[in-house]
Amino acid sequence: MDKGQGNNWTSSNKFLLLGMGNGVPTLQTPLFLLSLLIYFVTVVGNSLIVVLVVADQHLHTPMYFFLGNLSSLETCYSSTILPRLLTSLFTGERTISASGCMAQLYFFGSFAATECFLLAAMAYDRYLAICQPLLYASLMSWKVCFQLAAVSWLGGLVFSIIVMVFLSRLKFCGPKAIDHFFCDFTPLLELSCSDTRVVTIVTFILSFLDLIFPFLFTLASYMCIIAAILRIPSSVGRQKAFSTCSSHLTVVTIFYGTLIIVYLMPRTASLRQLSQVFSFFYTVLTPLVNPLIYSLRNREVREALRRVLRRDLGGIQSSH
């Protein structure tokens, strides 16, 4: 098909999503049940953290304010991919409309960028708490918290809009089969028959601002944090200081580790299946493990859950 015969995003054409079973009937049911379980636990776990942060006065601190934002984001993040994946696995229908593909890519990119900014804001919060404890209250005021959260959410939305504007001008020719289980940027770009240099350069520049810069900022923050912790004379003090940021450090390592592997891995035929496995991990499993990490490794979250349950059970018993 000639380039002039290509269709852009305004057309009614559909894309075929490969991956996740790739049409193998015997895998559809177990993958559907597994994905449904993951989505249920993800939504319930992250929603529970948001409820605890709002309901428990002891969690009304900057650190848990950002955690509440992160949990809200993870619910939105997984809802961008899993409902569509569940529908595909349940019905066997693997096509997605051009507008639906663009919407999925937009929200996925937006929430991914927002998570990078939020993780950086959480790292800055831990840096101030451990390295600048005397200035913490003045530097991390509630006004600053709201500003950092707002910039994180708006930054992701704006950067994703810019990419979508350039991507919507591309034309797509020939077989529109995306070798992935959702509409991701790189597999989609491979299908274009237009000149993709401009959108590639724009995306690279934005990726530095919404991915590389937050990552380097987070990395630098934790280098300072670790150096400050090592200077604490007592082992008990070091353990207490590290416990305040260990959950966040674990989440950062999992998120950026899998993200870097996926987008730096060569797009060769032999590695594409492995790339999809890592993509599944950071897009689907990371939102699942985050509430587990924060609830299992964080004593204050566990105590807040006990207080809320005790208060609710006490209210039920008194009503009877």
Side-chain angles (χ1 to χ4, degrees):
M1 183 181 289
D2 297 331
K3 290 187 177 183
Q5 294 177 289
N7 300 110
N8 59 20
W9 287 102
T10 59
S11 71
S12 58
N13 280 275
K14 295 184 178 183
F15 291 91
L16 178 67
L17 291 172
L18 306 177
M20 289 302 292
N22 202 14
V24 181
T26 54
L27 292 177
Q28 301 302 303
T29 300
L31 283 175
F32 172 79
L33 295 176
L34 175 63
S35 300
L36 182 62
L37 178 62
I38 290 174
Y39 187 51
F40 176 78
V41 175
T42 298
V43 172
V44 171
N46 283 290
S47 299
L48 180 60
I49 287 182
V50 174
V51 170
L52 289 176
V53 170
V54 173
D56 193 277
Q57 293 286 338
H58 297 84
L59 300 184
H60 289 181
T61 63
M63 182 174 74
Y64 292 107
F65 168 75
F66 289 122
L67 176 58
N69 273 268
L70 182 64
S71 295
S72 300
L73 175 71
E74 298 291 24
T75 303
C76 299
Y77 195 53
S78 58
S79 297
T80 303
I81 295 173
L82 275 173
R84 177 66 188 78
L85 179 60
L86 286 169
T87 302
S88 175
L89 291 171
F90 184 75
T91 63
E93 177 59 53
R94 292 184 294 154
T95 59
I96 184 171
S97 65
S99 58
C101 187
M102 189 176 189
Q104 186 181 58
L105 179 58
Y106 168 74
F107 286 110
F108 166 73
S110 174
F111 294 142
T114 298
E115 180 153 2
C116 293
F117 290 132
L118 274 179
L119 291 176
M122 296 172 78
Y124 177 62
D125 171 72
R126 291 300 84 206
Y127 163 78
L128 291 179
I130 294 174
C131 301
Q132 306 287 340
L134 299 179
L135 300 175
Y136 179 75
S138 59
L139 293 178
M140 189 54 71
S141 62
W142 280 113
K143 180 180 179 181
V144 173
C145 290
F146 284 118
Q147 288 174 341
L148 288 174
V151 168
S152 298
W153 286 92
L154 291 175
L157 293 171
V158 171
F159 284 178
S160 196
I161 285 176
I162 295 173
V163 173
M164 287 299 102
V165 168
F166 284 92
L167 197 61
S168 63
R169 298 175 180 177
L170 299 181
K171 294 184 181 297
F172 296 87
C173 312
K176 298 182 177 66
I178 301 174
D179 192 12
H180 217 330
F181 60 90
F182 70 98
C183 290
D184 199 4
F185 178 78
T186 303
L188 189 61
L189 205 63
E190 293 174 348
L191 302 181
S192 175
C193 53
S194 303
D195 187 347
T196 60
R197 285 177 296 181
V198 174
V199 67
T200 301
I201 293 172
V202 170
T203 304
F204 177 80
I205 295 172
L206 293 178
S207 296
F208 181 84
L209 296 175
D210 64 18
L211 176 62
I212 306 300
F213 177 74
F215 171 70
L216 294 177
F217 181 86
T218 303
L219 186 64
S221 297
Y222 270 103
M223 290 176 64
C224 295
I225 289 171
I226 292 172
I229 291 176
L230 293 177
R231 289 196 297 267
I232 298 175
S234 67
S235 60
V236 176
R238 288 194 297 269
Q239 184 177 1
K240 184 178 180 181
F242 185 73
S243 66
T244 64
C245 60
S246 60
S247 297
H248 179 254
L249 182 59
T250 304
V251 169
V252 167
T253 303
I254 293 173
F255 177 75
Y256 277 112
T258 52
L259 194 67
I260 290 171
I261 290 173
V262 168
Y263 290 104
L264 291 184
M265 184 180 294
R267 293 286 297 174
T268 59
S270 59
L271 293 177
R272 288 194 178 189
Q273 290 298 321
L274 184 60
S275 176
Q276 288 185 19
V277 172
F278 281 107
S279 294
F280 185 80
F281 195 92
Y282 91 85
T283 58
V284 176
L285 294 185
T286 299
L288 169 69
V289 301
N290 282 0
L292 298 178
I293 291 171
Y294 277 103
S295 60
L296 294 177
R297 296 177 61 90
N298 193 297
R299 180 175 54 84
E300 290 180 308
V301 172
R302 295 197 302 269
E303 290 178 352
L305 179 59
R306 292 192 193 100
R307 284 192 295 268
V308 171
L309 291 176
R310 195 181 305 122
R311 186 175 61 200
D312 291 344
L313 291 175
I316 294 174
Q317 291 174 354
S318 62
S319 65
H320 290 290

